[in-house]
Amino acid sequence: MIEAKNLSIDLGEFKLVSVNLSIETGEIFVVLGPSGAGKTVLLETIAGFYSPDEGNIILGGELANDLPPERRNIGFMFQDYALFPHLTVEENILFGTRYKRIEGAEEKFKEIVDTLNIGNILHRLPRTLSGGEQQRVSLARALIVEPQLLLFDEPLSALDERVRESLRDELRTVLKRMNQTSLYVTHDQTEALVIADRIAVMHDGQIVQTGKPDEIFNAPVNEFVANFVGVETVLEGKVISHHDGIAVIDVGGVEVAVAADIPMGGTVLLGVRPESVVLGTVDKVRESSARNNFEAKVTKLTPLGAVVKVGLDCGFPLVALLTKQSIEELGLTEGRKVLASFKATAVHAIAK
Amino acid sequence: MKFKRSSLMYYFFSLIGGLLILFILLPLLHSILSQSPPILLKEATDRGVQEAIFNSVFLAAVTAMVAALLGVPLAYILARRNFFGKSLVESVVDIPLAVPHTVAGIALLFVFGRYGVVGGPVEKYLGLRFVATRLGVVAAMLFVSLPFMVNSAREGFESVDVRLEQVARTLGATPFEVFRRISFPLAMRGILTGWVLTWARAISEFGAVIILAYHPMTAPIKVWDTFTQLDLRHSSAVAVLLLSVCLVGFVSFRLLAYGGMRKGNGK
Ligand SMILES: Nc1ncnc2c1ncn2[C@@H]1O[C@H](COP(=O)(O)OP(=O)(O)OP(=O)(O)O)[C@@H](O)[C@H]1O
Ligand SMILES: [Mg+2]
């Protein structure tokens, strides 16, 4: 387990204020925050490039405040990968094995190279590699020395959209397979949602909320978190049946149909965008192609300019976005019962 | 309209640049072309001239080596650390560029002379003398050329991304290992540039060397000596011999160093 307790540092223009984190072994912990929130400073402090003015960094039960970076056994993946330009891919990956005794280093090297599928570029120099390849090499270099914590500073932000999406799923799979304890910072909500076991939201050098992804997205503690993570509904559930490309997910006793290929029994996170939720009155059951229809109670109406954010309780929390006109036509008020529908294809499912 | 005006500017700038290049090349070419072959041959086969040229080339190389050994650590500190009095240290490093070289020679003579604060003990305990020895030549050359080594090496280190060093630390390398395997090889280009500039500057030094060590004669002093003993034509023959050796050395070293370096030093 890795802990940061009341970590504070004053860099003049910027301060980290009493940051508390605790990361379990094998957990992927994401710090989510806007640019300038202090995410990089936090990672650099944990890695040992800055020493904290106050507070403690505890690695596996031992105080690490005074350890230099090379003795902390904490890996670091930079945004632009920081590959050594004068060394080949293979030399880059093996760099750390000279300093840390790794058992079965050779098999480990082969295993990592296979897992990351970089066997065919081992003799190239970094500047001849694509962004995605550089990212894998940098990951391999960090993984081979078996760090007790691996820090990621927005490792996907330098890649283009398509590569980013496939790599972020892959990244989570690899980290989980190797049971690699990780602290990952990003400003991208979707990325956080896909990768995280738990999320901490950071703002102005402070952690404002820590929790599981669905807690952060559904129960933001303040306006900053709410605005920053957006109004997407995030639900956690278990797959209870699966056929014809439609999975049925049990979300706290309510069944939600999802058009996705997810194996039985697994835990999934479901994301529903508020604009894909359609509301109707309960008395007039409409014929519709939507597979998910729930009786719901309106819990909150929040005007947001031309549209209104409608908070719903269908056994799970759900958010819809409607125009003012629709609200009036349906005569929606807080406490009213409505029928909430969304299509199975409108649900974004993330297997965990 | 716009295009025409800017292209006019480029012609004008090129013209000025061309004049500058001529200003450098004309005197050199003129000395080479105005040589009388018999005198040139006579000087080229003269033992004293050969020795002087060898002294210059060899002792300048030794100087550059010493400069690298002493200058690289300082350059690394200046590139990577902020400390109280840093700008003072930076100014001190540059002082030899501003001090007239005869003044430097006299100052060196006081310290490294047979009764100087350094020269005295060194002669007493180590049996080494600076005045009129190769050691003295190197000391004088070193004084005037060190800034080139320190400043180029420093630029080399500054061009190395700090994050490469940080990553290496997280992979278990100690600061010295990081220096040895990352910073030093990546700053090699700057260090080599420093080495060449230092060497070139050391070869050309006259003022400081002549005061501390008239003998053993280096080539610039031999040129002066020939001028006072014989005449301008003989001394210019010696000058041209030194010039060609320097040019060949300088050009081939640049080609060798940068040709080899271009590979690894990407970005
Ligand atoms: N060494 C330093 N000294 C003083 N201020 C610093 C230092 N390093 C960073 N800062 C400042 O701290 C603030 C937070 O920087 P940081 O790089 O941690 O933000 P970030 O959350 O990583 O943002 P981004 O998403 O843009 O990378 C910034 O205002 C930055 O200018
Ligand atoms: Mg950052």
Side-chain angles (χ1 to χ4, degrees), chain A residues 11 13-14 34-42 50 79 153-154 187:
Chain A
L11 295 174
E13 300 279 294
F14 176 81
S35 187
K39 307 183 293 293
T40 301
V41 172
L42 174 64
Y50 294 119
Q79 187 170 345
D153 193 354
E154 314 208 12
H187 60 254

Side-chain angles (χ1 to χ4, degrees), chain A residues 29-323:
Chain A
F29 192 97
V30 170
V31 171
L32 176 64
S35 187
K39 307 183 293 293
T40 301
V41 172
L42 174 64
L43 292 191
E44 290 178 342
T45 309
I46 292 176
F49 304 143
Y50 294 119
S51 54
D53 296 331
E54 264 175 62
N56 293 322
I57 296 163
I58 299 160
L59 304 173
E62 281 177 46
L63 191 65
N65 286 23
D66 297 325
L67 288 182
E70 65 269 23
R71 300 212 2 235
R72 291 196 181 191
N73 199 16
I74 293 181
F76 207 125
M77 281 213 25
F78 285 102
Q79 187 170 345
D80 56 4
Y81 319 126
L83 296 175
F84 306 129
H86 59 311
L87 302 180
T88 63
V89 167
E90 180 168 352
E91 289 165 339
N92 262 280
I93 296 174
L94 292 174
F95 186 89
T97 58
R98 179 187 290 225
Y99 305 109
K100 292 189 184 169
R101 201 130 292 158
I102 307 298
E103 266 180 59
E106 242 167 71
E107 289 92 83
K108 181 117 193 170
F109 174 76
K110 283 204 193 94
E111 183 197 330
I112 290 175
V113 165
D114 278 349
T115 309
L116 294 171
N117 201 10
I118 45 179
N120 55 339
I121 55 170
L122 289 177
H123 298 289
R124 307 238 307 255
L125 282 174
R127 70 192 146 85
T128 68
L129 304 178
S130 74
E133 286 167 338
Q134 290 184 37
Q135 206 244 7
R136 288 156 197 267
V137 174
S138 164
L139 182 61
R141 181 179 66 179
L143 285 174
I144 198 166
V145 294
E146 301 173 342
Q148 61 178 322
L149 175 65
L150 185 47
L151 307 172
F152 292 86
D153 193 354
E154 314 208 12
L156 300 175
S157 59
L159 303 169
D160 64 50
E161 186 88 29
R162 286 222 334 269
V163 183
R164 185 158 67 220
E165 270 175 32
S166 73
L167 276 181
R168 90 187 158 205
D169 295 342
E170 189 185 320
L171 189 58
R172 184 178 161 87
T173 314
V174 171
L175 292 178
K176 280 293 164 191
R177 187 186 313 163
M178 307 196 72
N179 198 31
Q180 175 63 58
T181 314
S182 309
L183 174 55
Y184 186 110
V185 311
T186 177
H187 60 254
D188 183 316
Q189 300 84 323
T190 318
E191 202 170 300
L193 201 55
V194 173
I195 285 182
D197 292 321
R198 275 193 304 150
I199 296 177
V201 180
M202 192 170 193
H203 180 44
D204 277 346
Q206 275 174 293
I207 301 284
V208 288
Q209 185 174 4
T210 305
K212 302 220 291 185
D214 55 326
E215 290 166 4
I216 300 284
F217 281 77
N218 296 331
V221 290
N222 63 22
E223 208 171 324
F224 169 77
V225 179
N227 288 332
F228 187 66
V229 300
V231 285
E232 182 161 355
T233 303
V234 177
L235 306 169
E236 198 182 276
K238 278 210 163 11
V239 185
I240 51 174
S241 80
H242 179 256
H243 59 84
D244 286 347
I246 301 283
V248 178
I249 319 286
D250 173 17
V251 181
V254 185
E255 292 180 4
V256 179
V258 179
D261 234 354
I262 321 166
M264 286 281 295
T267 308
V268 283
L269 281 187
L270 305 179
V272 186
R273 300 200 68 82
E275 55 271 29
S276 30
V277 178
V278 178
L279 298 186
T281 43
V282 201
D283 42 321
K284 268 190 259 165
V285 177
R286 288 170 303 141
E287 293 289 317
S288 111
S289 65
R291 299 199 57 110
N292 295 300
N293 300 289
F294 305 102
E295 242 182 58
K297 198 166 101 181
V298 177
T299 53
K300 196 157 192 250
L301 292 174
T302 319
L304 301 170
V307 294
V308 178
K309 189 175 115 184
V310 184
L312 300 158
D313 177 8
C314 345
F316 54 83
L318 186 68
V319 176
L321 218 47
L322 272 69
T323 58

Side-chain angles (χ1 to χ4, degrees), chain B residues 60 63 90-91 94 106 121 128 137 152 157 163 174 210 218 232:
Chain B
T63 300
E90 287 168 345
S91 314
D94 286 338
I106 289 168
L128 295 171
V137 174
S152 305
F157 286 123
R163 276 169 309 175
T174 57
I210 199 171
T218 60
L232 187 60

